[in-house]
Amino acid sequence: VARLVGAKPSEVVFTSGARNLVTGDSNQANDILRLDLNTGSFVRVNASSSGVQGDTHADHAQITPDGRYVVFESRATNLVAVPGDSTLFTKIFVKDLERGTLTPLTTEGAGETSPAWSPDGKRLAYMPRRSAASAVKVRALDGSAPELELPAPKDSGAEPKSWTRDGRAIVV
């Protein structure tokens, strides 16, 4: 069963538990896949820059409006080397589909989740899961601006779902 999570005219990015869509899928976990609607080919997004599949589930994927980047969350410990990180908490990763590179957006290892692209694809909002903190973080993909931490109602369970069309507000 696949769940659609983003689309542009020629490709779709989705989460799937199917084991027969990409070669070598042996992780017994949900993967983030990109389907090229023109060729019918599938590519696993939640793989390291060298093509190694994640060792556990990936979810909550979104593709940028221009189709270049996909953000997703995973507890995988083998996608990128994060110095000093030995946690199994969820982290957020960004895959550059043009270059094939995978970068951890978060390295805190505190269970960050629910990434959401801004309408222009230049900023990401996500939920940090540190202790009882209630906040939404916003980070520029290119690092051009300092990370923002926006307060959310205490114990609200608020998570960024989407942005307003003009990119000035985050829907939680």
Side-chain angles (χ1 to χ4, degrees):
V1 176
R3 181 173 58 89
L4 178 68
V5 293
K8 73 177 211 171
S10 63
E11 59 189 34
V12 179
V13 172
F14 60 96
T15 301
S16 175
R19 305 287 170 250
N20 61 343
L21 299 178
V22 292
T23 304
D25 188 351
S26 60
N27 64 1
Q28 300 297 310
N30 288 343
D31 291 307
I32 307 300
L33 302 176
R34 179 184 66 173
L35 169 60
D36 183 318
L37 298 172
N38 295 323
T39 66
S41 64
F42 292 90
V43 174
R44 183 186 298 119
V45 174
N46 62 311
S48 71
S49 297
S50 62
V52 175
Q53 67 183 339
D55 57 10
T56 190
H57 296 284
D59 204 358
H60 294 109
Q62 285 192 3
I63 193 166
T64 52
D66 66 4
R68 178 165 180 183
Y69 299 99
V70 174
V71 64
F72 64 92
E73 64 182 55
S74 178
R75 291 182 179 192
T77 59
N78 65 335
L79 294 177
V80 292
V82 178
D85 179 27
S86 61
T87 68
L88 295 178
F89 290 109
T90 305
K91 294 175 204 60
I92 297 174
F93 297 91
V94 176
K95 181 79 167 215
D96 182 331
L97 296 176
E98 287 181 12
R99 294 187 176 149
T101 55
L102 183 69
T103 306
L105 179 75
T106 60
T107 57
E108 296 90 7
E112 297 83 15
T113 188
S114 303
W117 286 111
S118 62
D120 61 7
K122 295 181 180 181
R123 294 172 292 156
L124 274 163
Y126 65 94
M127 185 73 177
R129 292 281 189 205
R130 284 190 211 108
S131 59
S134 291
V136 173
K137 287 195 171 188
V138 178
R139 183 177 292 187
L141 183 61
D142 65 3
S144 63
E147 182 177 74
L148 300 174
E149 188 164 323
L150 308 171
K154 186 167 175 70
D155 301 323
S156 67
E159 295 181 352
K161 303 293 183 205
S162 63
W163 294 65
T164 55
R165 286 183 196 241
D166 62 7
R168 298 177 76 186
I170 300 166
V171 179
V172 291

